[in-house]
Amino acid sequence: MANYKPVIVQTYPKLGEKVTEDTLYWKNYKTPIQIKEFGAVNNIDFSPVHPYHYAVTASSRIHIYGRYSQEPIKTFSRFKDVAYCATYRDDGKLLVAGSEEGSIRLFDIGGRAALRQFEGHTKAVHVASFLSDKYRIVSGADDYTSKVWDVSSASEIVTYREHTDYVRCGCASKLNADLFVTGSYDHTVKVFDTRTEKSVMTIEHGHPVESLNLFPSGGLLVTAGGRYVKIWDVLKGGQLLVSLRNHHKTVTCLCLTSSGQRLLSGSLDRHVKVYSTTSYKVVHSFHYEASILSLALAPNDETLVVGMTNGILNIKHRKHEEKQHSGRRRRPTYRTFVKGKNYMPKQEDFLVTKPVRNHLKKYDQLLRSFQVSKALDAVLQGSARSNPPEVTVAVMQELNRRGTLKNALAGRDEKQLSVLLSFLIRHVTDARFAPVLINVAEIIIDIYMPVVGQSAVVDKQFLKLQNIVEKEIDYQEELLEVLGMMDALFATMARKKPIPLEENKLDGLQTLKSLSNEDIGENDKEELALPSSTRPALKTRNLASSSRQGIRRCRRWEWDRRERNPSQSLDSEKRENDLAGPPLEVAARPPASRIRRVALL
């Protein structure tokens, strides 16, 4: 008893996402804070200056939140209808927003009333932003127009009427005060220069454009519309660099990190995807409980804020390592206690180890006392976290090795048998556990077959297990058929490898010795003894043989399937003829005279 060895649980490779630096970086956020707004959150914008407050536009209000506050520190509510796209100026002192009634309002962060109101659009204004010179505003509306306004005089400077549908997104260049970009539901993106009367560039996105953004360098433009996120090179005249389709529904918002090395996209499929701007591959993904309309990142990626259609504002703050400061000096005894804790023994060191007492699991304790039935119950009734399926299968393997598996499965009541059958239903088709669980299922059927029909619950589980096994068998048969077809295709499509003429003639004799006498006749031995230049014909014959075997295998599977249905059965003579199959073109064997002629050449 003292030499009892615990059950060895076999470890399997974990299937899941690969842990990378991006995974660790983007998972390093605290538990999210959720705030309920009055309506769908259509825009979020962070102040570019410290302390990095952010403006949330929802319904007919604009709320200003502090970085760590859960209540708005300021509210702008002078809107008659829905407000849109509240955006900060570069100095963080002014805020501009559009509205459903077609007006644009300019607010001072320190006050409450609007400083300016710009009238000129006839429909809802969804785009409002400052140009980089801080004294002009660009706007886009559902009346298909884009306008540029002067802040000081509240007057209109220029109007562009080139879009043929709603203008729903736009942004201004940070490097050039005269450039801005707008996107429309007419599937186009237009680049405007305020010094000209027409657009200087038109890009066809292919879908209604929901969001766009310029890279910090100003040379690349990213657009989102439909399920696509596309990257364009503006310096090359709007050349498409890459088209990404990683979302299942419409992409509604885009955001760049402060460094410009990562791109974030939010969609109605409730996911936020993080892309690398070097490889344009998805490096991480966030999942939310509702469709996403807007998102924003604080400087240095300290805070991630996401707005959803149900009015929920989801806020995640980055974790920071807290430095522990002790008021008093540590005693020398502590240093003595941890001394050598991380020391790695050298080859010449004599290692003195303290005997460690192994604590046995509950099922090991029961197996040690030969209580096999209770040991199996212990691993079946525990939670999936404490007793994963690997542990249960390991205990079954141990019971089978001891020869007591049948005893452990017998003598069970309805509840215990139901738990056991539920485990089989969940995991019998798992390739890791199938060899063990199929044996267990056969033993259970043999034991409890006489009592079938006495419990409706158990009968229903037996039928469910039968259906699962039948579906798995059909699936495996289909895979084997595909495998046979692929073998035949690969064999016929294999190309001949050129063999140098200088190869030794003895290679044929060496190959002859390695092959079995059952598959090689006298004529074949003569061909193998020929020079290596005649090998291509021999290789062709081998490829044809493997092709014929693959086709025969497919036909046998088809015949086995038909045998299950008597109406489709055929006589044995026809079956033998079909299994033999017609000779293939590839299998044509060249005559010996032709081989000798090739050898002489």
Side-chain angles (χ1 to χ4, degrees):
M1 288 295 183
N3 296 328
Y4 174 79
K5 294 182 179 180
V7 175
I8 300 175
V9 180
Q10 186 176 357
T11 58
Y12 299 93
K14 293 183 179 180
L15 302 177
E17 63 175 347
K18 186 178 180 181
V19 179
T20 60
E21 293 184 0
D22 283 285
T23 304
L24 299 176
Y25 181 82
W26 293 105
K27 280 191 173 182
N28 192 27
Y29 283 103
K30 299 178 183 178
T31 304
I33 300 170
Q34 292 190 348
I35 301 174
K36 177 64 177 177
E37 289 288 341
F38 293 96
V41 181
N42 60 70
N43 191 71
I44 304 169
D45 188 57
F46 271 91
S47 173
V49 296
H50 190 78
Y52 307 120
H53 296 160
Y54 56 93
V56 176
T57 311
S59 185
S60 60
R61 303 183 182 186
I62 301 173
H63 290 306
I64 308 296
Y65 287 92
R67 191 168 177 181
Y68 296 102
S69 65
Q70 299 185 21
E71 295 292 335
I73 59 177
K74 185 177 285 294
T75 300
F76 299 102
S77 58
R78 303 295 179 90
F79 294 93
K80 298 178 182 179
D81 209 333
V82 180
Y84 297 110
C85 61
T87 308
Y88 279 98
R89 197 167 71 170
D90 289 344
D91 56 4
K93 295 180 179 180
L94 296 180
L95 189 74
V96 65
S99 62
E100 183 70 26
E101 62 263 22
S103 61
I104 305 166
R105 289 179 173 84
L106 182 67
F107 297 95
D108 184 3
I109 296 301
R112 289 187 177 274
L115 296 179
R116 295 281 190 278
Q117 184 165 335
F118 305 90
E119 301 288 350
H121 288 289
T122 58
K123 292 187 179 181
V125 179
H126 286 265
V127 180
S129 179
F130 288 94
L131 293 176
S132 58
D133 60 5
K134 303 180 185 179
Y135 300 110
R136 287 180 295 175
I137 295 173
V138 59
S139 64
D142 287 352
D143 57 5
Y144 311 164
T145 63
S146 303
K147 296 178 182 290
V148 180
W149 309 83
D150 181 61
V151 173
S152 59
S153 61
S155 60
E156 178 184 323
I157 300 176
V158 63
T159 300
Y160 300 98
R161 294 183 174 85
E162 297 193 21
H163 285 294
T164 59
D165 208 334
Y166 299 156
V167 180
R168 287 298 176 91
C169 57
C171 66
S173 173
K174 301 293 183 182
L175 303 179
N176 191 327
D178 294 311
L179 288 180
F180 66 93
V181 187
T182 59
S184 171
Y185 277 10
D186 61 4
H187 302 187
T188 62
V189 176
K190 293 185 180 292
V191 181
F192 293 96
D193 190 333
T194 58
R195 295 166 293 188
T196 62
E197 296 180 355
K198 294 184 179 180
S199 61
V200 295
M201 186 183 300
T202 300
I203 297 172
E204 181 68 31
H205 179 81
H207 296 82
V209 183
E210 299 285 350
S211 180
L212 55 85
N213 211 333
L214 280 169
F215 277 66
S217 62
L220 297 179
L221 174 69
V222 55
T223 60
R227 297 168 55 191
Y228 294 86
V229 176
K230 298 185 179 182
I231 315 295
W232 311 86
D233 191 340
V234 179
L235 300 180
K236 290 186 177 181
Q239 178 183 352
L240 178 63
L241 296 181
V242 64
S243 178
L244 309 173
R245 195 179 72 172
N246 299 99
H247 288 282
H248 302 295
K249 292 185 179 180
T250 301
V251 183
T252 56
C253 49
L254 297 169
C255 179
L256 282 166
T257 59
S258 54
S259 62
Q261 297 181 354
R262 296 293 181 266
L263 171 67
L264 282 73
S265 64
S267 170
L268 296 179
D269 62 3
R270 303 182 297 177
H271 283 83
V272 172
K273 305 285 185 181
V274 183
Y275 306 88
S276 169
T277 54
T278 55
S279 62
Y280 296 107
K281 293 182 179 180
V282 177
V283 296
H284 192 68
S285 179
F286 295 98
H287 178 73
Y288 291 88
E289 64 274 10
S291 299
I292 298 168
L293 285 182
S294 56
L295 66 90
L297 267 175
N300 300 322
D301 308 335
E302 291 293 328
T303 307
L304 174 63
V305 185
V306 173
M308 290 168 271
T309 55
N310 59 358
I312 296 295
L313 194 66
N314 187 289
I315 307 163
K316 293 182 179 181
H317 298 289
R318 185 167 294 281
K319 297 177 182 178
H320 294 283
E321 297 181 359
E322 298 180 357
K323 296 181 180 179
Q324 298 181 354
H325 297 282
S326 180
R328 59 180 182 177
R329 189 176 180 183
R330 295 187 182 274
R331 297 179 181 178
T333 53
Y334 177 79
R335 294 198 300 268
T336 305
F337 178 75
V338 299
K339 186 177 181 180
K341 183 178 180 180
N342 299 324
Y343 177 77
M344 297 298 294
K346 298 179 181 178
Q347 187 175 2
E348 61 272 11
D349 291 344
F350 182 78
L351 184 62
V352 179
T353 59
K354 183 179 179 180
V356 180
R357 183 178 179 181
N358 294 325
H359 297 279
L360 296 178
K361 301 283 186 180
K362 185 178 180 179
Y363 57 84
D364 276 320
Q365 297 175 5
L366 294 171
L367 288 174
R368 186 176 181 179
S369 58
F370 300 102
Q371 301 181 39
V372 292
S373 183
K374 291 184 178 180
L376 185 57
D377 290 337
V379 293
L380 285 173
Q381 295 175 357
S383 61
R385 179 173 295 181
S386 59
N387 290 323
E390 292 86 352
V391 176
T392 306
V393 174
V395 172
M396 291 179 177
Q397 279 182 313
E398 177 65 18
L399 294 175
N400 190 30
R401 187 187 67 82
R402 294 185 179 190
T404 58
L405 180 59
K406 190 172 183 179
N407 296 335
L409 296 173
R412 294 179 172 270
D413 56 14
E414 180 182 354
K415 184 178 180 181
Q416 293 174 334
L417 184 59
S418 177
V419 173
L420 185 57
L421 290 174
S422 298
F423 180 82
L424 290 176
I425 291 170
R426 288 195 304 269
H427 303 290
V428 71
T429 57
D430 194 329
R432 301 174 297 172
F433 314 133
V436 178
L437 296 185
I438 289 174
N439 184 31
V440 173
E442 291 175 350
I443 296 175
I444 291 175
I445 293 172
D446 292 339
I447 295 174
Y448 296 98
M449 184 61 69
V451 297
V452 170
Q454 299 181 7
S455 172
V457 177
V458 174
D459 293 347
K460 186 177 180 180
Q461 289 183 317
F462 270 120
L463 291 175
K464 190 174 182 180
L465 180 61
Q466 179 185 357
N467 294 333
I468 291 175
V469 173
E470 288 178 353
K471 288 181 180 179
E472 184 67 19
I473 291 174
D474 293 339
Y475 179 63
Q476 294 289 344
E477 288 180 351
E478 292 178 2
L479 289 180
L480 287 174
E481 290 179 6
V482 174
L483 180 62
M485 297 174 187
M486 293 176 65
D487 287 342
L489 289 174
F490 291 152
T492 55
M493 294 175 62
R495 296 182 178 180
K496 305 173 185 178
K497 296 182 179 179
I499 301 176
L501 296 176
E502 294 82 11
E503 187 176 357
N504 198 330
K505 298 181 180 180
L506 295 178
D507 289 348
L509 296 176
Q510 294 176 359
T511 307
L512 176 62
K513 294 179 182 179
S514 64
L515 298 174
S516 62
N517 294 328
E518 296 178 359
D519 297 334
I520 302 178
E522 293 297 326
N523 295 331
D524 296 323
K525 292 180 181 179
E526 293 179 1
E527 290 183 5
L528 288 173
L530 293 174
S532 58
S533 59
T534 64
R535 295 282 177 79
L538 185 60
K539 287 188 176 182
T540 305
R541 189 194 66 198
N542 293 336
L543 294 178
S545 177
S546 61
S547 304
R548 189 183 297 108
Q549 291 176 3
I551 295 174
R552 284 177 181 174
R553 192 185 308 170
C554 295
R555 287 175 177 167
R556 284 195 183 94
W557 287 323
E558 184 66 25
W559 269 101
D560 291 339
R561 181 190 293 180
R562 291 182 179 179
E563 281 183 351
R564 297 177 190 147
N565 190 353
S567 62
Q568 297 180 0
S569 61
L570 300 175
D571 55 339
S572 58
E573 295 181 359
K574 185 176 180 181
R575 177 177 180 179
E576 291 177 358
N577 295 334
D578 284 349
L579 288 176
L584 299 177
E585 293 290 338
V586 188
R589 180 176 175 181
S593 59
R594 182 179 176 185
I595 295 177
R596 294 190 183 93
R597 200 178 305 121
V598 173
L600 292 174
L601 292 176

